[in-house]
Amino acid sequence: MKTDLSIAQSTVFSVTQLNRKVRTLLETGLPQLWVVGEISNFKRYDSGHCYFSLKDAGAQVRCVMFRNRAGLLDFQPREGLQVEARAIVTLYEARGDFQLTIEAMRPAGLGALFERFEALKKQLAGEGLFDQDNKRPLPHYPKAIGIVTSPAAAALRDVLATLARRTPNTPVILYPTPVQGLDAAPQIANAIRTASQRDEVDVLIVCRGGGSLEDLWSFNEEVVARAIAACNMPVVSGVGHETDFTICDFAADLRAPTPTAAAELVSRNRQELLNLLHHQQQRLVRAFERELHNKMLQVDQLGRRLQHPGQKLARQQAQLQLLRSRFTHRFHSQLIERQEALSRLSLRLKHQLPNVQHQQLRLAQLRAALQRAMHGQIQSQRQQIEQATLKLAPWNPQTVLARGYALVSRTDGTLVRQASAVRAGDTLNVQFADEKISVNVNQGVVEQKELPI
């Protein structure tokens, strides 16, 4: 320590060096810390940076919050608001001003609530209560719309006015409940369960106007989140303003930045529907006109093709007369051609015909010569036959039989040449010159039986 003092006494610093040294000592000697105080002289510049002071009854300190950090705030800082700020202690070297660089800020006294909010959000997210896969789409044309809010809430009037303007014919059912206070959360959850059990609406709006974190805390309770997740119909959360986020927003099927925006999300603009209907009507009329025009063109084309039966008959008669004339002319032409061809063939045939009289005379001569030759040949052959007959007469079996001989044969025609070949009981045929007889051999006794020749 003595060494440092001696250095400090023997060293001369410039103002810049001194401020830089002090800044380094502050930033390294003090860690980030939370400071509570009241906002004073708050200014937000076009650059997005915020400059203000934090003060209490005994002192104040200058503060700066740069744009990237200020954009993360979920509330609007304002004059006189008690806040808790997480800050880095530093020195602005150019002016030697001691100041705090603010990293995060929240309304004072809400630290415990924020911790509860973050813990419940993490727990329910871990259970899958906020998963996008579980989110249900909103109906395009709800038959009835339910609202869970206080009958005295200004948000209810905004929602009803929006619905009356956009969809005046859609029934709206209110499920009344307190939206602020110690017992509000169970009653809000009970109203949501009642709407789910009755099942008389297609979509449910859970809403209330803006307020502080304490005012909106009923919508950060677990019982409300679980009631929304178990609801039978899609739920739209319209709690607070655009910068307000609650557990109800994460559990709902869709978050709306304001109650009025929630009413717009669940309803279709009446004028837009009328415009759409008018547009569809015009398209239908144009399509009908095009179809009608096409059909009229088809009718005109068919009308031009359609003819009176008398006209068609007259045209066919004219065609028939033309064909008859062509056929007659063609027939006469072919007849003349055939007659001329026949004449030519007749002339050629006359030149080709032989001399018939000469040929007839020649044929008569040949016939007479043939007859004479045939008669001579027949006489010659007859003489040869007579001579051969005389030569064969001695050898004729019939001549031998006429001399008293006979031929003995069996019934199968084989000749019996020896008596030893005959047995008793045999039947034999005996051929004489004049006739044939059948005999049976029976112990030397021959029975005679005539056989036809």
Side-chain angles (χ1 to χ4, degrees):
M1 191 68 179
K2 293 181 179 180
T3 305
D4 292 339
L5 289 175
S6 61
I7 294 174
Q9 293 175 355
S10 62
T11 302
V12 179
F13 291 92
S14 66
V15 176
T16 300
Q17 291 174 335
L18 175 62
N19 287 351
R20 184 173 296 121
K21 182 70 172 178
V22 173
R23 175 185 174 186
T24 301
L25 290 174
L26 288 174
E27 292 181 353
T28 58
L30 292 175
Q32 282 193 14
L33 47 81
W34 283 92
V35 180
V36 61
E38 177 184 328
I39 294 179
S40 176
N41 300 321
F42 181 84
K43 291 182 181 179
R44 185 190 295 269
Y45 289 90
D46 293 340
S47 62
H49 304 320
C50 300
Y51 295 91
F52 56 94
S53 297
L54 286 180
K55 65 179 183 178
D56 57 17
Q60 66 177 4
V61 60
R62 293 181 180 275
C63 302
V64 59
M65 192 174 194
F66 295 112
R67 178 178 59 190
N68 60 335
R69 297 297 182 180
L72 301 177
L73 292 176
D74 56 1
F75 70 100
Q76 180 62 46
R78 63 181 183 272
E79 194 76 16
L81 182 65
Q82 284 286 123
V83 296
E84 296 174 352
R86 189 177 76 242
I88 298 174
V89 181
T90 186
L91 184 79
Y92 182 50
E93 296 180 20
R95 290 199 299 267
D97 290 339
F98 167 72
Q99 66 178 20
L100 301 179
T101 301
I102 306 300
E103 296 293 314
M105 188 165 57
R106 65 193 181 197
L110 300 182
L113 290 180
F114 274 113
E115 291 177 1
R116 286 175 55 189
F117 174 87
E118 292 296 335
L120 181 59
K121 178 182 175 184
K122 182 178 180 180
Q123 172 193 338
L124 297 180
E127 295 179 10
L129 205 69
F130 305 154
D131 289 351
Q132 289 298 321
D133 295 339
N134 299 329
K135 305 298 183 182
R136 293 161 294 187
L138 302 185
H140 290 290
Y141 302 98
K143 297 179 181 179
I145 300 172
I147 304 175
V148 174
T149 192
S150 171
L156 176 61
R157 293 191 295 272
D158 296 339
V159 170
L160 293 177
T162 301
L163 294 178
R165 172 174 51 84
R166 292 172 64 86
T167 55
N169 298 325
T170 303
V172 178
I173 299 176
L174 175 65
Y175 301 93
T177 177
V179 293
Q180 185 174 342
L182 295 178
D183 298 330
Q187 297 184 62
I188 294 171
N190 185 60
I192 295 172
R193 286 192 290 266
T194 299
S196 179
Q197 292 170 359
R198 291 182 182 178
D199 198 21
E200 54 194 353
V201 297
D202 297 326
V203 64
L204 189 65
I205 298 175
V206 179
C207 65
R208 68 147 288 163
S212 64
L213 182 60
E214 297 97 327
D215 296 337
L216 303 179
W217 190 254
S218 298
F219 295 91
N220 288 322
E221 295 288 354
E222 181 177 356
V223 63
V224 175
R226 296 196 181 279
I228 291 174
C231 188
N232 290 332
M233 68 280 298
V235 177
V236 177
S237 173
V239 179
H241 299 304
E242 294 185 14
T243 57
D244 297 324
F245 281 89
T246 64
I247 297 296
C248 176
D249 296 331
F250 298 106
D253 295 286
L254 186 64
R255 175 192 180 265
T258 63
T260 300
E264 292 177 349
L265 288 173
V266 302
S267 61
R268 296 295 299 270
N269 191 319
R270 180 174 179 269
Q271 188 58 45
E272 290 179 359
L273 292 177
L274 291 176
N275 293 338
L276 178 61
L277 182 62
H278 179 67
H279 176 68
Q280 297 293 343
Q281 181 184 17
Q282 289 181 335
R283 290 183 58 190
L284 182 61
V285 170
R286 288 194 295 270
F288 177 77
E289 290 176 349
R290 287 195 301 269
E291 187 67 17
L292 181 61
H293 179 69
N294 293 335
K295 295 300 182 184
M296 292 177 64
L297 290 177
Q298 293 179 6
V299 170
D300 291 341
Q301 293 174 358
L302 293 174
R304 287 192 292 269
R305 293 169 57 184
L306 184 63
Q307 294 182 353
H308 191 275
Q311 296 178 348
K312 186 174 182 180
L313 183 60
R315 188 180 70 253
Q316 291 177 347
Q317 288 178 345
Q319 293 178 350
L320 182 60
Q321 184 63 33
L322 178 61
L323 293 174
R324 184 183 294 111
S325 299
R326 290 179 178 177
F327 177 75
T328 303
H329 179 266
R330 182 68 177 272
F331 177 76
H332 288 300
S333 299
Q334 291 183 354
L335 181 60
I336 293 173
E337 291 177 359
R338 298 291 176 83
Q339 289 176 347
E340 292 177 352
L342 184 59
S343 299
R344 290 194 297 271
L345 291 174
S346 298
L347 292 175
R348 291 176 60 187
L349 183 59
K350 289 179 179 180
H351 293 295
Q352 297 295 331
L353 285 176
N355 190 340
V356 178
Q357 294 178 355
H358 175 73
Q359 296 296 334
Q360 289 178 348
L361 179 59
R362 176 63 178 166
L363 182 59
Q365 293 174 354
L366 292 174
R367 186 183 294 113
L370 181 59
Q371 289 176 353
R372 290 193 298 268
M374 289 176 60
H375 182 70
Q377 186 68 21
I378 290 172
Q379 291 295 331
S380 176
Q381 293 296 329
R382 185 177 295 164
Q383 292 175 359
Q384 292 178 4
I385 291 172
E386 289 176 353
Q387 293 175 1
T389 301
L390 293 176
K391 290 180 180 180
L392 291 174
W395 301 98
N396 187 352
Q398 192 66 29
T399 303
V400 176
L401 293 177
R403 293 202 297 270
Y405 294 96
L407 291 174
V408 179
S409 63
R410 297 184 184 277
T411 56
D412 59 0
T414 58
L415 294 175
V416 179
R417 301 182 186 275
Q418 297 176 354
S420 60
V422 178
R423 298 290 185 271
D426 289 346
T427 301
L428 302 176
N429 296 326
V430 180
Q431 176 70 50
F432 297 98
D434 57 347
E435 61 181 331
K436 180 186 292 184
I437 63 173
S438 177
V439 297
N440 292 325
V441 180
N442 185 13
Q443 298 180 356
V445 179
V446 180
E447 295 180 1
Q448 181 173 340
K449 184 179 179 182
E450 293 186 359
L451 293 176
I453 297 177

